[in-house]
Amino acid sequence: MRTFILMALFIILTACSTTEKSPDESNQKIEDTEEGTEDKSTEAEATSDEDPDESNTNSEENETTEEETASNESEDIEIEISLESVLEEEQGTMINASRQEIEDELTSFIEDNNGDVTDEMVYEKLLEMLGGHPDMLEGIKYFQDFSAELVDLTDQPGGLKVEDGELSLRNNVYILMDNSGSMADEIDGQTKMDAAKESVNQFVEDMPNGTQVSLINYGFSKDSDEESNSCSAVEETFPIGEYEENEFNEALNQYGSEGFTPLALAIEEVGKVIENSESTGSHTIYVVSDGQETCNGDPVAAVQDLPEDENIETVLNIIGFDIQDDEVQSLVDITEANGGEYLSATNPDELSRILKREKLNLFNKYRDWSNENLKNITQASNDKHLDRTEVVNAANTANRQTDNSINGVLNDVSMNSSQEFRYPKAREWAEERYLIVRDFLHENYEDAGDDIDSEKEKLRDSVNQEFDEIESDYKEDIEE
């Protein structure tokens, strides 16, 4: 029993000894635990303090990367800008708006897209607002289709005819030769027919190049039934064309003088020749006759029916050769119905002088035509120069205003966003577009001016050359 009690006491004492050490150890463990907690808390605080900075840095780096990527994408995009692309532009919706209105529209466009817009989008938006100015497009098309032809020079009565860019004078002369029997009578030892043939030949032989000549014989007789045949006898023996001496003389001598005088029928025939020839310009008719109508025709009605319009001027003159006094008025009436002139010759010398004078009248007409058309050439040239200048000024103004508006709006948008030089590629494209149009207009404006001056000089030289040749052909008669 005692032994059992002693063992129990020994166990209790041992237990107490262990209990005394525990507080210190426990305290130490608590302290260690607290220090560990503080360390962990400190580490946690450190970690907590460091995370926001690292997060912001990462965010900024991500944003920078995105901006750089967007910028690089804009730099990689290239828009093909050419004259053709400019011509394809639609007229801008705000070409007449103020710069503030344009800036507000572009700003709204950027904001509507949350700022996520590229240079290409901005450039296209600017063209939508400001592109395709009508004055600029008109200027480009004007010079693309430009022709230096001085179109004021058209076919005019008795004037200049433009054929394949070359000028040629056109005057058509018709001789109506009376082959009636009375032309066989003699004056000063020479038949009226022979005197008339000689004077007519001298009249036409020195006509300048470009003069068309026709010979129509009337009143000749081919068989024994003189009256019925001669009253219907009208023939163009030398068809309208350039004078050829041998052919004309052959035609002039084809018939003698042995019939009646179908003057009205002869006038009707020359009218048909003029219509069928389709020749514009001046048509001058000379009737060489020694008497009035003797075949019951109506010469006044016939002359009133001669063709005449804005491209055809027809004048009939009568050279009365040894006309009886009581027949003169009937011939004067014929010429007055057409605005022509009656000329009287009593002998071969007078007939020759009259025809020479008429040839000088033709020369004076050529001179007037020359002066008038030189004036027209100069006026047409001046009008062309003025026209091209007005067009290019309007086009250049429109092009410059568009470029100024685009740059101004981009500057304002950049300043308002505190970001200098936003959308640099859009600026470059706008500048390239401006220079393409400017250079095209400048180059073609200069070329057009040179072409106009060249055309003017070519036409003037042509007119002067024609007139010099005419003056040379008429020189002898002018000096007389």
Side-chain angles (χ1 to χ4, degrees), residues 68-78 119 424-425 428-429:
E68 289 176 353
T69 301
S71 176
N72 289 335
E73 287 178 356
S74 293
E75 290 177 1
D76 292 340
I77 295 174
E78 288 298 334
D119 285 65
K425 293 297 293 185
E428 290 180 17
W429 294 328

Side-chain angles (χ1 to χ4, degrees), residues 142-351:
Y142 173 86
F143 287 108
Q144 282 184 330
D145 302 332
F146 182 78
S147 169
E149 181 180 357
L150 302 180
V151 294
D152 287 342
L153 291 177
T154 56
D155 296 351
Q156 295 293 335
L160 292 171
K161 184 176 179 65
V162 182
E163 294 178 332
D164 298 327
E166 296 295 329
L167 283 173
S168 59
L169 289 163
R170 283 290 178 266
N171 191 51
N172 307 284
V173 176
Y174 304 84
I175 307 297
L176 273 57
M177 179 66 74
D178 181 0
N179 288 90
S180 63
S182 58
M183 288 291 285
D185 296 343
E186 290 189 2
I187 299 178
D188 297 338
Q190 187 179 22
T191 66
K192 288 189 280 187
M193 177 57 74
D194 289 340
K197 288 178 179 179
E198 183 179 336
S199 296
V200 165
N201 198 43
Q202 290 174 353
F203 174 65
V204 298
E205 67 180 354
D206 290 328
M207 288 290 179
N209 293 333
T211 301
Q212 308 288 304
V213 178
S214 170
L215 176 65
I216 296 176
N217 295 86
Y218 68 94
F220 50 86
S221 178
K222 292 184 178 180
D223 54 38
S224 58
D225 190 359
E226 182 179 300
E227 181 175 357
S228 62
N229 280 280
S230 65
C231 280
S232 62
V234 177
E235 181 181 345
E236 187 184 21
T237 53
F238 187 86
I240 186 74
E242 294 280 344
Y243 172 78
E244 296 288 346
E245 183 177 1
N246 292 334
E247 287 82 351
F248 190 85
N249 284 329
E250 183 178 342
L252 199 59
N253 293 304
Q254 186 168 337
Y255 296 111
S257 48
E258 48 190 7
F260 288 80
T261 310
L263 181 55
L265 189 62
I267 295 173
E268 291 173 4
E269 179 65 20
V270 76
K272 294 177 183 177
V273 171
I274 293 173
E275 287 183 341
N276 293 334
S277 71
E278 299 182 353
S279 180
T280 58
S282 175
H283 297 267
T284 307
I285 304 165
Y286 293 97
V287 177
V288 181
S289 178
D290 70 342
Q292 61 185 357
E293 167 75 33
T294 60
C295 291
N296 299 318
D298 187 350
V300 173
V303 78
Q304 289 174 337
D305 289 337
L306 287 172
E308 186 164 10
D309 58 29
E310 66 274 9
N311 290 322
I312 297 176
E313 178 187 58
T314 305
V315 176
L316 184 140
N317 303 306
I318 295 178
I319 301 173
F321 190 19
D322 191 33
I323 300 291
Q324 299 298 314
D325 291 343
D326 59 350
E327 296 182 6
V328 170
Q329 189 57 49
S330 66
L331 299 177
V332 171
D333 292 343
I334 296 170
T335 57
E336 288 182 348
N338 175 256
E341 186 178 10
Y342 173 77
L343 305 167
S344 178
T346 59
N347 57 60
D349 288 340
E350 284 187 1
L351 178 61

